[in-house]
Amino acid sequence: MTEHYVEGVLIVKYTASNYKALYGRISNSTTYTKDYIQIPEAVSRELRAVLEREGEGVEIEYSWPGGGCQDGHFHWSVDRYHLKWDTNDPPPPWKLGNVGVDPVASIAGNTSIRTEVSGDGQLEQIKKSGQKPWLLAVKLFKDSNRLHLRVYFETPPIELSD
């Protein structure tokens, strides 16, 4: 593995709001309505200095181990910046998946059932697991506007203990 210098690390708590954004938009829902993670204003200023330098937003690239990548956006909204992705297409390392089968999946679940009841039920399972996931985005020096995504668990599941 090649050594790289880190320019910045964004650590985001896996809140219900962030979970719902990553689960995806659901028709006729009043709570599954976002396709972005809101960054608090104070953190937004710091992240802006690392990502865009000037202006009000930039296109970014999310990447993850195994060579996966996806286009994203770092844009200003009314009172803060957002890390955004195309509707219902969140970055795979942060969305629910089949852990152990899908090499990118870290958080167990299934987003193909597009109802609030299913979404809320899976969030409750994540809470009951006691794993307490956190979302990480690492910006390396001289790595353009690429964010390397990971999930950190306070108590990792056995299959992800390494």
Side-chain angles (χ1 to χ4, degrees):
M1 181 177 275
T2 306
E3 182 178 286
H4 298 282
Y5 291 101
V6 173
E7 187 173 6
V9 178
L10 175 67
I11 303 170
V12 178
K13 189 171 185 175
Y14 197 77
T15 62
S17 177
N18 291 335
Y19 163 83
K20 289 178 179 185
L22 291 161
Y23 191 85
R25 292 179 183 240
I26 297 175
S27 298
N28 302 316
S29 174
T30 58
T31 62
Y32 289 83
T33 59
K34 297 177 183 168
D35 46 23
Y36 53 85
I37 292 176
Q38 295 176 313
I39 308 299
E41 185 177 358
V43 177
S44 289
R45 283 191 300 269
E46 297 295 325
L47 191 56
R48 180 179 179 189
V50 170
L51 281 177
E52 71 165 277
R53 317 252 189 261
E54 299 291 331
E56 293 190 3
V58 294
E59 301 307 305
I60 59 174
E61 180 181 80
Y62 301 113
S63 70
W64 51 89
C69 63
Q70 171 181 327
D71 291 336
H73 319 280
F74 176 65
H75 286 216
W76 178 257
S77 185
V78 175
D79 61 348
R80 68 186 87 189
Y81 277 90
H82 295 163
L83 280 179
K84 189 170 178 359
W85 48 84
D86 290 341
T87 301
N88 289 332
D89 191 22
W94 287 354
K95 71 180 187 178
L96 301 181
N98 194 349
V99 177
V101 175
D102 179 352
V104 177
S106 295
I107 304 169
N110 179 355
T111 59
S112 67
I113 304 167
R114 309 301 302 156
T115 66
E116 284 187 14
V117 171
S118 176
D120 291 348
Q122 291 185 78
L123 176 57
E124 285 307 309
Q125 289 298 323
I126 292 168
K127 288 178 181 177
K128 286 180 185 176
S129 75
Q131 295 172 355
K132 299 179 184 170
W134 290 76
L135 308 174
L136 277 74
V138 178
K139 167 69 172 74
L140 302 176
F141 274 110
K142 299 181 181 179
D143 202 4
S144 187
N145 286 338
R146 178 179 297 148
L147 296 176
H148 298 267
L149 305 184
R150 306 290 190 275
V151 175
Y152 170 82
F153 296 94
E154 289 184 35
T155 307
I158 292 170
E159 62 271 24
L160 297 176
S161 61
D162 61 338

